[in-house]
Amino acid sequence: MTNLSDVRLAMLGTGNMGEAVLAGALRAGLAPEHVTATVRRPERLQELADRHGVRTTTDNVAAVEGADVVVIAVKPKDVAAMLTQVGDALPHHAVVVSVAVGLPTSFFEDRLPARQPVVRVMPNTPAAIGAGMSVLSAGESVTDEQVALVEAVLAGTGDVVRVPEAYQTPAAAISGSGPAYVFYVLDALTEAGVAAGLPRDLSSRLARQTLLGSARLIAETGEHPALARERVTSPGGTTIAGLRRLDQAAVRAAFIDAVAASCERAEEIAAELGD
C-alpha cells in the first residue's frame, strides 16, 4: 500500500466535487498539514480550514509549489486558464489529476510542460462520505507508480477503477451523473408513497432504505439485477402490475436516453473547449 503520510497535495478548486475529493484524500491518510486547498472566495478560506484542518489560499501558483499531486477541480470552462496560470510553477514530478468532465488527458498535456504526468478521473458526489465511484485513466507520460499514487489518494472516496480513456465518457454518464438519476428515483418513490397516503417522513425512510438495501444486495451477491427483479415479481401480483406501468411509460428507454444525452453533452463540452 502506498504511504501517503508525506505526500503533498494541492487541491485547486473546492466546490462540491473538489471538497468531496479533498475529504476522501484525508480519509485515505494524507496529513492535513501537507494539503493546500484553493478557493475563489476569501470567505471560504476559514470555513475549509476549520472543517478539514488543511491550509487554504486564493493563490493557485503558491499552492502547487512542492506538490506531489495537483487536483484540478474547477469547472471545465475554467481549466485552460488555470493550466496557463500554474503550468510553469508545477514540479516536474507532480501528477496533475483532472476531475473536469469531458476534457481528455490530451487537453492537459497540450497546455502543460512537456511530459507532465496527467491522470483523468471522474468521481461522484458520494465520494464525500467514502461511498463514491471514481473512474481513472492514465495519460501518455504517467508511470504505473504515479497512477498507483493517485489510486491511493482516491481510495478514501470509495471504489476506484482504472479504465481505458475511451470509456471515460460513458462511465461518467453512469457513475458521474448517475447519483442525480438515483436521487430522482428516490424523490419519485417518496412522492408516490405520499400520494398513496403515507406520511412523508415514513415514505422517505421506506424509499431510502429500499434503494440502499437493493444496491447492497446486488453488490454482495453479484446477482444480475434482472434475476433479482424476477425473484421479487410474483405471477399476477402487485409488483408485476407496477412494472407493467413502468414499461408502458418507457422508463427503461428514458434512462438509456438520459445516459446517451449525457455522453453527447460531454463530447460537446470537449469540442467547445478544445477549440
Side-chain angles (χ1 to χ4, degrees):
M1 179 178 292
T2 303
N3 183 3
L4 298 178
S5 60
D6 294 325
V7 172
R8 295 186 176 275
L9 172 72
M11 177 67 62
L12 307 187
T14 47
N16 291 336
M17 189 59 70
E19 189 170 2
V21 174
L22 172 62
L26 294 171
R27 197 180 295 114
L30 269 76
E33 62 269 24
H34 291 164
V35 177
T36 302
T38 70
V39 297
R40 277 186 172 181
R41 296 181 289 110
E43 58 268 26
R44 277 272 285 168
L45 291 171
Q46 195 59 48
E47 178 187 341
L48 278 176
D50 291 343
R51 185 179 300 156
H52 300 290
V54 301
R55 293 182 293 179
T56 57
T57 180
T58 57
D59 188 338
N60 294 309
V61 173
V64 304
E65 293 175 354
D68 301 303
V69 179
V70 177
V71 180
I72 307 291
V74 297
K75 293 180 179 179
K77 67 181 180 62
D78 298 323
V79 169
M82 175 71 75
L83 298 179
T84 299
Q85 183 184 30
V86 305
D88 291 340
L90 285 169
H92 66 87
H93 73 281
V95 185
V96 175
V97 179
S98 162
V99 296
V101 67
L103 299 183
T105 54
S106 59
F107 182 95
F108 293 79
E109 292 163 343
D110 290 346
R111 292 162 174 80
L112 291 172
R115 303 196 62 78
Q116 189 79 44
V118 176
V119 171
R120 178 180 177 182
V121 177
M122 178 45 61
N124 60 15
T125 53
I129 60 167
M133 181 72 245
S134 294
V135 184
L136 178 153
S137 300
E140 290 290 333
S141 300
V142 68
T143 66
D144 285 342
E145 184 179 32
Q146 289 168 325
V147 175
L149 171 60
V150 175
E151 289 175 326
V153 169
L154 293 171
T157 66
D159 196 7
V160 182
V161 61
R162 194 185 307 191
V163 301
E165 190 164 11
Y167 290 174
Q168 274 283 344
T169 295
I174 297 296
S175 61
S177 300
Y181 307 149
V182 174
F183 301 148
Y184 185 95
V185 171
L186 180 57
D187 182 51
L189 282 175
T190 300
E191 290 299 311
V194 173
L198 293 175
R200 180 170 295 277
D201 59 345
L202 175 59
S203 185
S204 176
R205 181 177 179 180
L206 294 173
R208 184 172 63 244
Q209 183 58 34
T210 298
L211 262 67
L212 180 64
S214 299
R216 183 176 174 182
L217 178 65
I218 294 299
E220 293 190 5
T221 65
E223 188 173 31
H224 193 286
L227 295 177
R229 187 191 70 228
E230 288 179 4
R231 288 197 294 105
V232 184
T233 310
S234 302
T238 58
T239 303
I240 191 63
L243 288 171
R244 181 168 175 269
R245 290 294 180 90
L246 292 176
D247 285 343
Q248 288 174 344
V251 171
R252 177 188 294 264
F255 274 108
I256 294 172
D257 287 346
V259 171
S262 179
C263 291
E264 291 168 7
R265 182 56 188 145
E267 292 169 356
E268 289 172 359
I269 290 171
E272 291 166 3
L273 297 180
D275 291 339

